[in-house]
Amino acid sequence: MDRQTICTNGSCPNSCGPLTDYYIPDYILKPDTEQVIVDNAPCCPVVVFINSRSGGQLGSSLIKTYRELLNEAQVFDLSEEAPDKVLHRLYSNFEKLKSNGDILAIQIQKSLRLIVAGGDGTASWLLGVVSDLKLSQPPPVATVPLGTGNNLPFSFGWGKKNPPTDQAAVKSFLGQVKRAREMNIDSWHIIMRMRIPQEGPCDPIAPLDLPHSLHAFHRVSGCDSLNVEGYHTFRGGFWNYFSMGMDAQVSYEFHSERKRNPDKFKNQLINQGTYAKLGLKQGWFAASLIHPSSRNIAQLAKVKIMKRPGRQWEELKIPRSIRSIVCLNLPSFSGGLNPWGTPGTRKVQDRDLTPPYVDDSLIEVVGFRDAWHGLVLLAPNGHGTRLAQAHRIRFEFHKGAAEHTFMRIDGEPWKQPLPKEDGTVVVEISHLRQVAMLANDPCNSKSINDPSSPCHPHDDDDDSNSLEDEDEWEDGRKKFGAAATFKIPDEVDIAHLS
């Protein structure tokens, strides 16, 4: 008996139902394959993307298990085939089959769900590809936590610990995917523009090879409307967070070390311990003594925000001790911590702050002084320095403030050189649209439209933990930030970026 017969006739425990609920026939996945007759359409067809390099050996083991349970052709190793090629081929075949009146193809496309297993960067990579497909009904995405921080899976109830890879565990996860509810979350567009230096490089420097976030953060071409003569312009997007400063530098060192010595990073607990050691080694627990004030955000850049659509830009005052700034879309950072928390009654009244909803078109801006300040998040009601909630935010780096800084998008860091000549480097983040995630209970993310979301502020907010009162190119067309659908919102005045 061949594998296809075994899979389609197999069954799962009550938690997931029969495997045929998830099975997609070959002819749907592979163009020009002979069509077969299927009695019933699967109620939860899935396409699975797994980063075999994530989670030590877990990624490879997970691929093996999924291929044993499902059609091998619906399980993809991201180290062998990029998701944009897979989904472009799949949806092109959908259109061809639909034009021939194939009812099964119509039903599978309508109910399709995607599973991605990897770190936060891997999940963001897939979300970017889905955003660029220009689909009227994009498939929702479930995330398997195979990374170190796993903020995206944790935000939507999929956990933050690396999962077992045996058949029982995978079957249980498939059942959760079938029962999961769809939840829309905001996506954020990011532009970085800098004057071309007279000498020396100014391109983002990745840790030994380019992280997924920068795969999506390509330089625009000369014919792009964003291109300005004499300037480098990059653009991309994110779903969880953009950060700059202290935390991004530690992350950069961690990723660089892991790229050089991958065999030493096969255990999630060891990875987290190494992360903490790097923070100690770099002196971020004694930042005021070891690091110069030029590393502080206020000395590096002027920050401006637009609180709501259509309002005026206003300068955001950053306390001089802040060495790390995080623009947060989801309530999970550094492995499940919530830097924003839930503002108390006084904060809501005095500063117009709200709980962190994932679909309110606002991004939470939080600052940290040093590593000790970050540990406050471990305490009940702990939070960072709440700086603002904004619809758009802009960083304008001062001339000669520093030779470089460190930035990070959804877990993927890079080292960003800053030009020494005249001309400001600008990074601008603006709300774009929304994408669909699959949420499992209990879910940490809250929707502004969910009746169970907190409508009123909490009175037990601990303000003692805060310092808030302190003084389209051809090759890149498929990439997030480069597709025609990912255009700059009409209200964005790109002249400010030059």
Side-chain angles (χ1 to χ4, degrees):
M1 185 177 295
D2 60 25
R3 178 181 301 275
Q4 179 165 322
T5 304
I6 294 173
C7 289
T8 54
N9 290 338
S11 63
C12 295
N14 292 333
S15 61
C16 77
L19 286 173
T20 50
D21 288 352
Y22 313 93
Y23 186 87
I24 301 177
D26 273 347
Y27 86 95
I28 298 287
L29 300 159
K30 302 176 181 178
D32 303 323
T33 302
E34 183 178 356
Q35 185 173 352
V36 297
I37 303 300
V38 178
D39 292 336
N40 298 299
C43 62
C44 183
V46 296
V47 172
V48 185
F49 296 94
I50 301 174
N51 187 344
S52 60
R53 299 173 182 173
S54 295
Q57 301 299 323
L58 293 180
S60 298
S61 179
L62 205 57
I63 290 174
K64 180 176 180 293
T65 304
Y66 271 100
R67 286 177 174 171
E68 289 171 351
L69 295 175
L70 303 174
N71 185 347
E72 288 187 4
Q74 68 189 94
V75 183
F76 297 91
D77 184 346
L78 288 173
S79 67
E80 298 178 355
E81 192 167 14
D84 51 349
K85 294 181 180 179
V86 173
L87 292 178
H88 184 270
R89 181 174 66 240
L90 175 61
Y91 277 88
S92 296
N93 199 37
F94 274 143
E95 294 305 313
K96 175 183 175 182
L97 293 170
K98 286 159 57 179
S99 66
N100 293 331
D102 192 308
I103 302 300
L104 181 63
I106 296 174
Q107 293 173 322
I108 288 180
Q109 181 180 0
K110 184 177 180 180
S111 55
L112 181 66
R113 296 189 162 194
L114 304 183
I115 296 173
V116 57
D120 288 330
T122 302
S124 295
W125 184 16
L126 180 63
L127 286 171
V129 170
V130 172
S131 294
D132 280 346
L133 283 175
K134 309 177 185 179
L135 301 173
S136 57
Q137 274 190 314
V141 179
T143 53
V144 181
L146 283 189
T148 301
N150 298 317
N151 294 294
L152 272 165
F154 183 71
S155 295
F156 296 97
W158 302 109
K160 57 182 176 180
K161 292 183 179 180
N162 295 164
T165 60
D166 58 278
Q167 288 196 7
V170 170
K171 290 175 181 178
S172 176
F173 185 82
L174 286 171
Q176 291 175 327
V177 169
K178 181 164 65 174
R179 295 187 296 270
R181 68 183 187 279
E182 292 189 31
M183 175 180 268
N184 289 329
I185 67 168
D186 295 324
S187 61
W188 295 85
H189 185 260
I190 182 168
I191 305 171
M192 180 165 61
R193 173 165 290 164
M194 63 196 71
R195 184 182 293 277
I196 299 175
Q198 296 178 3
E199 58 182 29
C202 207
D203 286 3
I205 300 175
L208 305 186
D209 65 9
L210 210 58
H212 290 308
S213 61
L214 295 187
H215 283 183
F217 204 75
H218 276 287
R219 184 188 305 178
V220 302
S221 66
C223 60
D224 194 285
S225 61
L226 282 175
N227 185 63
V228 175
E229 185 176 355
Y231 286 81
H232 287 325
T233 303
F234 300 79
R235 60 178 177 178
F238 66 94
W239 290 265
N240 192 1
Y241 65 85
F242 166 86
S243 69
M244 179 176 65
M246 170 183 68
D247 71 290
Q249 181 176 352
V250 176
S251 178
Y252 178 84
E253 294 298 331
F254 173 83
H255 279 253
S256 298
E257 183 66 25
R258 186 168 63 177
K259 295 290 184 182
R260 289 189 289 263
N261 302 288
D263 291 339
K264 296 181 180 180
F265 294 83
K266 293 185 176 181
N267 181 280
Q268 186 180 24
L269 289 176
I270 293 176
N271 292 354
Q272 292 170 342
T274 303
Y275 211 99
K277 289 178 183 177
L278 286 172
L280 284 167
K281 182 179 178 180
Q282 293 183 10
W284 288 115
F285 282 90
S288 60
L289 300 176
I290 296 176
H291 293 282
S293 61
S294 61
R295 297 283 187 94
N296 298 2
I297 301 299
Q299 275 68 44
L300 273 177
K302 179 185 292 185
V303 184
K304 297 180 179 180
I305 61 171
M306 181 183 294
K307 290 186 175 181
R308 298 292 188 276
R311 291 192 183 180
Q312 297 296 315
W313 286 99
E314 56 185 83
E315 186 170 347
L316 179 63
K317 183 180 179 182
I318 306 294
R320 287 179 293 177
S321 62
I322 295 297
R323 293 176 174 83
S324 179
I325 193 166
V326 183
C327 300
L328 192 68
N329 186 44
L330 304 179
S332 181
F333 179 74
S334 292
L337 302 175
N338 185 355
W340 187 258
T342 302
T345 304
R346 183 170 65 86
K347 295 299 180 187
V348 171
Q349 295 174 345
D350 295 348
R351 301 185 56 204
D352 191 25
L353 302 181
T354 69
Y357 300 114
V358 299
D359 56 352
D360 59 357
S361 304
L362 297 176
I363 198 165
E364 283 70 43
V365 186
V366 187
F368 293 96
R369 305 186 301 275
D370 50 31
W372 291 113
H373 192 191
L375 292 179
V376 168
L377 300 181
L378 298 174
N381 303 318
H383 57 84
T385 301
R386 298 186 187 114
L387 299 172
Q389 286 177 304
H391 185 70
R392 292 166 63 189
I393 183 168
R394 179 190 300 159
F395 299 90
E396 299 176 354
F397 292 88
H398 305 310
K399 171 191 172 183
E403 293 183 355
H404 60 262
T405 188
F406 294 87
M407 300 179 182
R408 182 163 62 146
I409 292 178
D410 287 356
E412 302 287 335
W414 75 95
K415 182 179 180 180
Q416 178 59 55
L418 301 175
K420 300 178 181 179
E421 299 89 7
D422 292 338
T424 304
V425 176
V426 175
V427 174
E428 183 172 324
I429 297 168
S430 56
H431 181 264
L432 181 70
R433 59 170 67 86
Q434 295 182 336
V435 294
M437 298 292 293
L438 287 172
N440 185 43
D441 291 323
C443 177
N444 294 308
S445 296
K446 301 298 181 184
S447 168
I448 195 170
N449 299 312
D450 187 349
S452 65
S453 296
C455 299
H456 302 287
H458 291 240
D459 291 325
D460 57 353
D461 182 44
D462 184 4
D463 291 330
S464 64
N465 295 327
S466 169
L467 275 186
E468 289 155 10
D469 300 323
E470 183 183 342
D471 174 37
E472 193 124 38
W473 67 98
E474 195 61 31
D475 290 338
R477 177 175 288 275
K478 300 186 186 73
K479 299 297 185 182
F480 187 81
T485 52
F486 203 111
K487 65 180 182 179
I488 306 300
D490 294 335
E491 69 270 16
V492 176
D493 181 7
I494 65 172
H496 286 296
L497 298 176
S498 60

